[in-house]
Amino acid sequence: MTTRQSVGGFALLALLLAPLACIAATGWTGDLTPIGQEDWNAERAAHLLERAGFGGTPEEIAQFAAMTPEAAVRRLVYHKGVANDLPAFDHSGIHDAGLEPFPASRPAATDLARDTGESMGIKVKPAGNRRLQPVANKFFYWLRASRLETNRVAYWWANRMLATNRPLEEKMALFWHGHFATSEEKVRDYRKMLKQNELFRAQGTGNFRDLLIGVAQDPAMLAFLDAGVNVKGAPNENFAREIMEMFSMGVGNYSETDIREAARAFTGWNFVDLDFVVTPEKHDETTKSVLGKQGAFDGVDIIDVILSQPVASEYVSGRLYRYFVRQDLSPALRGELGARLRESNYEIAPLLETIFMSRDFYSPPSMATHIKSPVELVISAYKKMGLTEVPGVPDFNDLTEALGQKLLYPPTVAGWANGKSWITPGLLLARGNFVYDTLFPDINFLPPDRYPLTDYKIGAVNEKLALGMDVTTATKPEAKEVTSMSMQADRDEDFNTRLASFRGWQMALQKVKPIPRATAQLDLSAMVLGAGCKSAREAVDYLLARFVSVPLDAASHERIAKFLESELGTDDLTAAASFLEEPLRTTLHLILSLPEYQLG
Amino acid sequence: MKTTSLLLKPWTRREILRAGLAGIGASAMPLVFSRVMAADPAASNRILVVLEMSGGNDGLNTLVPYADDAYYRHRPKIGIRLEKLRKIDERYGFNGGMAGFERLYKDGRMAIVHGCGYAQPSFSHFTSMAYWHTGAPNSGEEYGWVGRVADAIDTPSTPNFIVNIDEVQSLAVRARDHVPVVFDDPEKFGRKGLYQTRPLLDRAPDMDADASASKHYLLEVAKSAREASQLVRDAWSGYKTPVDYGIVPVQLPKIASLIAAGMPTRLYYTSYRHNAFDTHVQQSDLHQRLLTYVSDAVEGFMKDMERIGRADDVTVLVFSEFGRRVPENTSLGTDHGTANYMYVIGKPVKGGHYGQPPSLTELDEGDNLVFTTDFRRVYASVIDGWLGCRDTEQLLSGKFESFPVFS
């Protein structure tokens, strides 16, 4: 058994390390002709897994290299037939019907309570001090609980990216999340964010028209772009602008008049709780003129008018190309890709198949030149480390946020910028630090979902109340903070906002389940020994081949090999087996701190 | 004379005196011009700090034209009454939360430029902000205006010449020849790693002539990161200030620490992030709170510059990517609009009003202000008048006449 495994491992190592000639690839730039079987190899299979997923382990690369390129690409693109038994999101049970519709602001919540005697399912106290306090508490409870739960959704999604048998499904969901960017910051309802995520997963490689309509009628998008105030006689232009500019055509292909007219077509579109609704009396049924066409359009009609513009297919296919291949896209190639998308009636999967099969995709300018986004970097690193679960330490959300990409919180409706903007001096250092924190967990780590101490000095309020201090004293601002609360020096008040903030956190923590806090369960020793490595040099060669897409120069290679040998005190891995893990981890940290590691 | 005419047109003599423009008689004008246009070696010590208020700040409720009845007709519910304002003259008052801005203006250290915008305005945060970042509306300009300024005034490029304090690099600072230093938390601006890995970890990367464009960029940034991280951490750990920056300091203490430490940086860029000022719904309370944060932070920063002895060398430019629509909407907020104020703030600034206030009665077909000042005139003013680069025409791809906001 051991011998057979070693032989298998060595075969994998040999396969990965064998020099691979890129014959004839130099003429492939811009060529959509499919790659032939004679040009298919492990290096190109690795490239496919890197771009159409989150990278491959040596076993996966070998498996895909053994297929024909057609079979490999179709296995990824037409993934609905691939079994993928992953758990659904495990709700904490934080929501109740009284919360709908959630008030626009705390003043709105308390004003409603004052006016009607009830708000968010909470009745006003008949008598006594702080009669509205339970209402204020509920408001802050939901803000905090929804944020914590959204972080759980992001963590769940990260686990899907890592564990899925359909990597392109998750990669496309990530793409569409950046394309149709909505943020929990404004939506303030994790359920809407989860529902949208599931829409992207279900329809991500389906039909773009269906997806666009789904997004237009999606509660998260409707909430994010202020659909509720888009009514007949007073149209709100947010959604109409974004659907043309960011979602389907790009800048310069419509006029401001088109936007105003289109906004009228989307009037009356709204949501109630998690359901899309059209309010007939708020819908403008009169004639609109959009992109040169006239009619009593509704929102779906507008989508059809937009998609009838050739520029829409070019814009969408260009976005996909830049995401999966490279930034450099000639007008001719963009036109060709757009034409194919139009000819297929906006079916996404055939376009992806074309892209992943194309020689252009395997041309030198396309390979190992993509700067990984933060999420790609983290998930692909975990995958190549052989993890089957996203570690809870370091916290996935804090980590990716520090690197510039917090899932479910895109910075604007334009999503995240790409490529070079991920790399600044500080962010490059942080990328190496993520590896360090994963391989050498921080013993001072505090779970951010259980220690919300950064907000409004809540920790101090917590302690003061626990020691029996009255609310007014316990919530008195420090001298340097001047807020409206300082005007409420007496005990008699309708509510206390700081108290509500504190109670909101307390109630949220009681309800929201914790994110599991396991450290990264990896075993580098077993990995390199299992691959048949005998010497420090072979171990370094293996790690570089496994983790890094860009070949290192000989001098760098030598420095790292010498480092590992020095740490081990020997070049013989067998002799060092009992203490091998830590030197391997420090070596891996060095490797993954290289600038080259950011490329895939 | 044309500039003089433009400057004088909207003001009565009384208002000119009150606005602090007294002393600029005809006899002084040639002197002012000659100083502005002269080559300026003293500019080599000057620092520009740019503060972006992202989301499209509502200028009309920031600096309220209370003397214009049209303002209240357009904003019957969210218009701010005179008694709630911080009056600065017979026409304008700052939002009630802006004690800091009021003081800066009354001390004569704030230039308010009216009606800033551009032709064919975009109402998209992303697009309009990209235009402001590049200084090139309706184009696909690749580099930011701050980045192009750095490339123009600093050749060969000085490391750490541009600092951008944000989570992600702003397009405004993207340069051909300079790599901006971008960080958010100075204490975390460094590389972790065990002692024995340090020789390799902290090693300067070898440049590779055959590298792809992506790899080349990564190597350049790795080199920059190595040098900058130590400087930034040392500056922040050595920085102590008694100055109160308010509740949300808007990154300005971090900038102050670098200036105090003598960082060679001359261009700083930061923002109040995440479209915070996009107040479509229930605007009033939120907007006042945000304005208080910005106002307190900027005033604190100016006090800090006095404290460390650099007040003569530092100017702050504050802007947003558009204003808001003049009429309030039905949700007690405002929708995306067009023209807005820009603020140039600092001891070297000749405070007062500049540019033509846009009319509140002659709006465009979308009920938006018609801009009266191309925003690039303000960029040209700081580039030429403050940073000493006279060739703004090439830099900004057009001729934009400077305002005389610097002595």
Side-chain angles (χ1 to χ4, degrees):
Chain A
M1 176 63 70
T2 301
T3 302
R4 190 175 315 118
Q5 180 176 323
S6 291
V7 168
F10 185 77
L12 286 176
L13 178 63
L15 181 62
L16 287 177
L17 295 181
L20 298 166
C22 287
I23 303 170
T26 51
W28 285 8
T29 307
D31 184 355
L32 292 181
T33 305
I35 187 172
Q37 179 67 46
E38 66 279 6
D39 295 310
W40 188 240
N41 55 41
E43 185 183 18
R44 289 175 176 152
H47 174 63
L48 176 63
L49 287 166
E50 195 76 38
R51 298 290 183 90
F54 298 92
T57 60
E59 294 77 15
E60 287 167 334
I61 293 168
Q63 177 191 348
F64 274 70
M67 297 176 180
T68 63
E70 294 88 349
V73 168
R74 292 184 65 89
R75 162 74 171 70
L76 290 168
V77 173
Y78 298 100
H79 50 248
K80 297 306 185 191
V82 177
N84 199 39
D85 188 24
L86 295 175
F89 178 72
D90 175 29
H91 295 262
S92 298
I94 61 175
H95 186 264
D96 66 72
L99 284 161
E100 301 302 322
F102 188 65
S105 66
R106 198 274 308 144
T110 48
D111 287 350
L112 177 63
R114 195 177 281 113
D115 294 344
T116 69
E118 181 175 355
S119 179
M120 296 175 291
I122 303 290
K123 292 189 187 299
V124 174
K125 284 165 58 179
N129 200 3
R130 301 195 183 88
R131 295 174 56 238
L132 302 182
Q133 190 66 44
V135 168
N137 293 353
K138 185 71 176 285
F139 180 85
F140 283 102
Y141 157 76
W142 178 250
L143 289 186
R144 287 150 182 46
S146 184
R147 179 178 289 266
L148 291 177
E149 195 78 336
T150 298
N151 288 341
R152 291 186 68 241
V153 173
Y155 178 74
W156 165 81
W157 188 11
N159 269 298
R160 291 192 65 104
M161 293 179 190
L162 181 63
T164 183
N165 292 329
R166 306 173 182 173
L168 184 62
E169 185 177 59
E170 302 301 336
K171 193 101 191 231
M172 285 301 292
L174 181 58
F175 169 78
W176 293 123
H177 180 40
H179 184 81
F180 298 115
T182 57
S183 173
E184 162 68 7
E185 199 70 62
K186 184 169 182 180
V187 172
R188 303 183 312 178
D189 187 343
Y190 85 94
R191 303 171 310 148
K192 296 184 173 74
M193 298 301 296
L194 176 61
K195 182 170 181 176
Q196 185 183 84
N197 183 256
E198 288 172 339
L199 170 69
F200 292 152
R201 185 170 298 101
Q203 300 221 37
T205 56
N207 182 269
F208 183 73
R209 176 181 181 275
D210 294 346
L211 177 62
L212 188 54
I213 292 170
V215 166
Q217 299 177 348
D218 168 64
M221 182 61 71
L222 291 160
F224 189 69
L225 291 177
D226 301 309
V229 293
N230 188 25
V231 297
K232 180 170 68 175
N236 179 287
E237 297 167 5
N238 253 357
F239 183 74
R241 174 181 313 286
E242 302 311 346
I243 197 173
M244 292 188 190
E245 176 181 333
M246 304 307 309
F247 301 167
S248 63
M249 289 196 294
V251 172
N253 295 300
Y254 55 84
S255 71
E256 292 298 316
T257 302
D258 289 322
I259 286 171
R260 281 197 289 273
E261 290 286 286
R264 292 172 49 219
F266 286 106
T267 51
W269 280 28
N270 206 346
F271 63 92
V272 172
D273 203 353
L274 290 179
D275 299 319
F276 171 66
V277 298
V278 181
T279 309
E281 61 271 20
K282 295 186 177 180
H283 176 58
D284 181 341
E285 292 182 342
T286 62
T287 298
K288 300 95 181 172
S289 178
V290 180
L291 297 168
K293 293 183 163 67
Q294 285 82 40
F297 299 139
D298 69 2
V300 174
D301 297 322
I302 294 298
I303 286 170
D304 285 330
V305 168
I306 289 169
L307 294 185
S308 70
Q309 315 290 307
V311 70
S313 57
E314 292 174 9
Y315 177 79
V316 173
S317 54
R319 293 271 288 181
L320 286 163
Y321 181 91
R322 289 194 165 94
Y323 184 74
F324 285 113
V325 189
R326 61 174 191 276
Q327 285 300 307
D328 171 36
L329 172 61
S330 70
L333 187 54
R334 175 176 137 128
E336 172 62 27
L337 293 169
R340 295 194 188 203
L341 188 59
R342 281 199 304 283
E343 284 155 16
S344 72
N345 285 315
Y346 283 91
E347 290 293 328
I348 297 159
L351 181 66
L352 293 176
E353 184 180 9
T354 295
I355 288 173
F356 294 140
M357 284 295 299
S358 71
R359 287 174 161 181
D360 178 64
F361 183 70
Y362 300 99
S363 63
S366 300
M367 290 182 68
T369 55
H370 168 70
I371 294 176
K372 295 174 190 173
S373 71
V375 168
E376 287 174 310
L377 177 83
V378 172
I379 298 298
S380 68
Y382 287 164
K383 190 171 181 64
K384 293 172 180 179
M385 289 176 185
L387 304 189
T388 55
E389 266 187 83
V390 172
V393 182
D395 179 76
F396 175 79
N397 290 301
D398 279 1
L399 166 62
T400 48
E401 178 169 31
L403 298 179
Q405 185 181 33
K406 185 176 185 184
L407 290 178
L408 308 176
Y409 287 89
T412 69
V413 70
W416 292 277
N418 278 304
K420 284 183 174 181
S421 69
W422 296 127
I423 303 294
T424 63
L427 292 176
L428 188 57
L429 298 176
R431 285 173 169 233
N433 292 345
F434 131 72
V435 175
Y436 181 85
D437 288 334
T438 299
L439 298 174
F440 299 98
D442 185 354
I443 66 170
N444 296 312
F445 175 83
L446 287 177
D449 58 335
R450 301 289 110 180
Y451 290 86
L453 296 183
T454 59
D455 278 32
Y456 303 102
K457 307 288 197 291
I458 292 305
V461 174
N462 183 47
E463 289 170 2
K464 290 172 179 174
L465 290 176
L467 291 172
M469 207 172 284
D470 68 88
V471 167
T472 300
T473 306
T475 57
K476 188 181 294 292
E478 305 298 337
K480 279 181 62 172
E481 293 181 3
V482 180
T483 71
S484 61
M485 285 188 291
S486 67
M487 309 305 291
Q488 305 171 34
D490 62 291
R491 294 180 58 93
D492 189 13
E493 56 193 346
D494 281 342
F495 57 88
N496 179 301
T497 302
R498 178 161 286 193
L499 174 65
S501 180
F502 157 72
R503 279 292 295 141
W505 271 117
Q506 202 167 52
M507 293 156 65
L509 290 177
Q510 287 171 319
K511 273 283 196 175
V512 178
K513 299 180 181 182
I515 288 175
R517 296 298 171 188
T519 57
Q521 302 299 298
L522 73 157
D523 189 339
L524 294 179
S525 307
M527 182 187 287
V528 303
L529 293 175
C533 302
K534 300 296 187 194
S535 68
R537 195 163 310 271
E538 283 178 12
V540 168
D541 289 349
Y542 176 79
L543 291 175
L544 286 169
R546 183 176 179 119
F547 283 91
V548 184
S549 300
V550 183
L552 284 202
D553 61 274
S556 300
H557 213 130
E558 183 65 16
R559 279 193 292 269
I560 298 174
K562 274 187 156 57
F563 172 82
L564 179 55
E565 186 175 340
S566 168
E567 287 295 288
L568 293 176
T570 175
D571 191 45
D572 181 355
L573 290 196
T574 306
S578 65
F579 55 86
L580 185 55
E581 186 66 18
E582 183 174 335
L584 284 176
R585 290 192 180 209
T586 53
T587 303
L588 185 60
H589 172 231
L590 281 174
I591 290 172
L592 301 191
S593 294
L594 294 165
E596 286 87 342
Y597 180 62
Q598 317 311 320
L599 297 168
Chain B
M1 184 53 67
K2 182 183 292 184
T3 297
T4 301
S5 176
L6 178 64
L7 185 64
L8 292 176
K9 183 176 178 181
W11 309 104
T12 64
R13 174 70 180 172
R14 176 191 179 88
E15 286 162 345
I16 290 169
L17 289 168
R18 188 181 297 270
L21 300 178
I24 303 181
S27 61
M29 192 58 66
L31 181 59
V32 170
F33 271 101
S34 66
R35 271 194 286 178
V36 168
M37 290 185 289
D40 203 338
S44 64
N45 203 34
R46 292 177 179 168
I47 290 165
L48 175 68
V49 177
V50 182
L51 174 59
E52 170 194 299
M53 299 164 84
S54 84
N57 176 51
D58 182 15
L60 291 178
N61 273 27
T62 299
L63 184 68
V64 176
Y66 67 84
D68 193 336
D69 291 342
Y71 166 75
Y72 295 105
R73 284 200 300 274
H74 287 303
R75 297 180 171 203
K77 295 197 180 82
I78 70 166
I80 307 174
R81 298 289 155 178
L82 177 55
E83 58 270 21
K84 294 278 178 57
L85 295 174
R86 297 180 176 275
K87 189 172 155 182
I88 60 168
D89 57 33
E90 293 308 312
R91 290 179 171 229
Y92 293 94
F94 276 115
N95 183 289
M98 302 182 86
F101 266 37
E102 178 194 16
R103 273 190 286 276
L104 288 165
Y105 181 82
K106 289 181 173 176
D107 287 346
R109 298 186 177 191
M110 177 186 285
I112 301 168
V113 189
H114 290 251
C116 301
Y118 54 92
Q120 301 169 264
S122 171
F123 299 85
S124 154
H125 297 294
F126 178 76
T127 299
S128 191
M129 188 59 93
Y131 294 168
W132 283 75
H133 282 170
T134 57
N138 299 297
S139 84
E141 170 64 50
E142 186 177 357
Y143 299 111
W145 76 276
V146 175
R148 297 202 305 277
V149 169
D151 289 343
I153 68 179
D154 180 59
T155 51
S157 55
T158 302
N160 311 321
F161 196 79
I162 309 173
V163 165
N164 179 193
I165 304 186
D166 211 329
E167 296 159 342
V168 180
Q169 175 176 299
S170 170
L171 173 57
V173 298
R174 190 193 288 183
R176 188 189 59 246
D177 301 322
H178 288 77
V179 177
V181 173
V182 186
F183 67 91
D184 190 14
D185 183 343
E187 290 174 3
K188 294 180 179 173
F189 190 46
R191 195 192 287 281
K192 296 182 181 181
L194 300 175
Y195 175 84
Q196 64 269 31
T197 63
R198 282 292 156 186
L200 287 182
L201 213 52
D202 297 335
R203 194 176 176 282
D206 297 322
M207 294 303 155
D208 178 358
D210 296 323
S212 68
S214 298
K215 180 173 171 178
H216 183 264
Y217 180 72
L218 282 158
L219 293 172
E220 284 290 336
V221 174
K223 183 177 166 191
S224 173
R226 182 171 165 275
E227 293 156 6
S229 61
Q230 194 64 53
L231 284 171
V232 168
R233 284 202 310 281
D234 289 348
W236 185 245
S237 64
Y239 174 66
K240 300 289 186 284
T241 182
V243 169
D244 181 0
Y245 279 79
I247 296 172
V248 176
V250 202
Q251 324 305 333
L252 295 177
K254 298 170 187 172
I255 293 177
S257 75
L258 296 177
I259 294 175
M263 188 92 157
T265 309
R266 292 186 51 210
L267 302 172
Y268 289 92
Y269 195 97
T270 191
S271 73
Y272 202 120
R273 305 168 189 173
H274 300 164
N275 287 348
F277 289 87
D278 190 21
T279 52
H280 284 278
V281 177
Q282 298 281 339
Q283 169 172 323
S284 298
D285 291 342
L286 169 61
H287 189 225
Q288 173 158 326
R289 186 160 68 252
L290 293 167
L291 292 174
T292 300
Y293 297 153
V294 170
S295 177
D296 288 353
V298 173
E299 190 195 20
F301 180 72
M302 289 304 164
K303 288 175 174 170
D304 220 3
M305 291 301 101
E306 286 282 5
R307 183 183 67 83
I308 67 177
R310 295 297 302 271
D312 291 338
D313 302 323
V314 178
T315 296
V316 178
L317 170 63
V318 182
F319 80 96
S320 192
E321 72 265 35
F322 41 61
R324 307 300 283 191
R325 188 159 299 166
V326 178
E328 68 193 27
N329 64 26
T330 54
S331 317
L332 297 180
T334 49
D335 292 323
H336 300 182
T338 53
N340 206 342
Y341 308 105
M342 293 172 77
Y343 308 90
V344 185
I345 305 166
K347 189 174 176 185
V349 170
K350 279 177 13 199
H353 293 273
Y354 295 82
Q356 175 85 29
S359 169
L360 294 185
T361 51
E362 294 163 26
L363 303 178
D364 76 9
E365 64 179 356
D367 278 338
N368 288 300
L369 298 172
V370 177
F371 85 106
T372 56
T373 301
D374 191 297
F375 71 97
R376 288 166 289 182
R377 288 191 63 190
V378 182
Y379 287 179
S381 303
V382 298
I383 295 167
D384 176 359
W386 182 240
L387 297 171
C389 173
R390 288 181 295 169
D391 186 13
T392 62
E393 184 167 350
Q394 178 176 320
L395 222 162
L396 296 172
S397 302
K399 189 174 179 64
F400 299 100
E401 188 174 8
S402 297
F403 289 103
V405 295
F406 297 97
S407 311

